[in-house]
Amino acid sequence: PGPAESDEPAVQPSSGVYLCDLAPSIMEGELRQLLGQYGELVNMRQADIQPEPAVMASYSSVEAAEEAQKILNLASLRGRTCRCITVGALEVIRRTMVSGHRLIIENLDPGIAAHGLWDVCSLFGQVLDCKVQRNDDGTSRGIGFVHYAKSEDASNAQATLDKMQIGECEVKLRPFRWDDASMFTGTLYARLIYNPYIDTLPTSV
């Protein structure tokens, strides 16, 4: 690897997962039962608060966390597509939001679901997170994002997919900017755990 590539943060194995995009009505007991299917659950704590609730769960093994991530990511819970990210990937995401790893995808075909977008984006490298933003009624807003483990993979994806027709629409890709954060839900990335003081500040900060 070249110098730039070797400087990029690597995803470390982790026994924890971050589960977000949860239906507000889902109960803690349900989540514990669900997460407990994949291995011994050491603890579970709230990671983000309403209206975008999220939890962080720790397992007794890395294997259990990886299994939970594999099964629960983009699964439908209470009619909502949740996202499940290992804590190792979460920490890389938090450090690389505006360093070229994350792309905004605009003008998405309304029929494109998160699974389909993830599969297309995965052709260019390891995807850490991916989402199609939806309205409250479940319809697509025609916008999404993808976050790559490596900025080089994001650059290749942008170069190839920008202005490509996917479904019925010609998509547009560009690097994420902090101003884009307000367009998405479920992207607080465990604010309660990593920087809880922000929740006491105005939302514009």
Side-chain angles (χ1 to χ4, degrees):
E5 186 177 344
S6 62
D7 286 344
E8 294 198 8
V11 177
Q12 300 299 322
S14 169
S15 59
V17 295
Y18 171 72
L19 189 64
C20 61
D21 275 345
L22 298 171
S25 59
I26 201 162
M27 305 298 288
E28 180 182 343
E30 292 178 76
L31 289 173
R32 285 188 180 277
Q33 184 177 14
L34 175 68
L35 290 162
Q37 295 177 21
Y38 306 101
E40 183 185 353
L41 198 60
V42 176
N43 65 54
M44 186 184 81
R45 52 183 171 158
Q46 191 173 26
D48 294 308
I49 59 175
Q50 299 279 11
E52 299 181 35
V55 298
M56 190 176 283
S58 297
Y59 289 94
S60 59
S61 70
V62 170
E63 292 75 20
E66 290 177 345
E67 180 72 4
Q69 189 278 329
K70 184 171 66 175
I71 302 298
L72 292 177
N73 189 46
L74 305 185
S76 180
L77 296 181
R78 290 276 187 101
R80 182 171 292 191
T81 301
C82 69
R83 300 183 353 264
C84 188
I85 305 166
T86 66
V87 171
L90 174 68
E91 291 178 348
V92 171
I93 289 170
R94 290 182 59 87
R95 292 168 58 188
T96 58
M97 290 289 287
V98 289
S99 55
H101 295 65
R102 193 177 188 91
L103 299 173
I104 296 294
I105 307 168
E106 298 174 303
N107 201 38
L108 277 171
D109 185 316
I112 297 291
H115 277 102
L117 185 61
W118 188 295
D119 288 345
V120 169
C121 293
S122 292
L123 297 173
F124 301 92
Q126 183 185 3
V127 171
L128 302 183
D129 195 13
C130 182
K131 175 172 182 168
V132 174
Q133 182 64 38
R134 297 191 173 277
N135 296 304
D136 290 340
D137 63 1
T139 56
S140 172
R141 290 189 183 176
I143 190 168
F145 69 78
V146 59
H147 199 118
Y148 284 95
K150 296 181 179 179
S151 58
E152 180 183 5
D153 295 338
S155 297
N156 291 338
Q158 181 180 359
T160 303
L161 295 178
D162 187 45
K163 299 182 180 178
M164 178 178 284
Q165 183 162 329
I166 299 178
E168 298 298 318
C169 299
E170 186 179 280
V171 298
K172 300 175 183 177
L173 279 78
R174 60 176 175 80
F176 172 87
R177 301 184 301 261
W178 282 121
D179 289 351
D180 297 319
S182 61
M183 296 191 297
F184 297 98
T185 55
T187 56
L188 296 178
Y189 294 121
R191 179 182 290 178
L192 279 183
I193 293 170
Y194 288 98
N195 44 354
Y197 68 90
I198 287 183
D199 280 312
T200 67
L201 299 177
T203 54
S204 60
V205 171

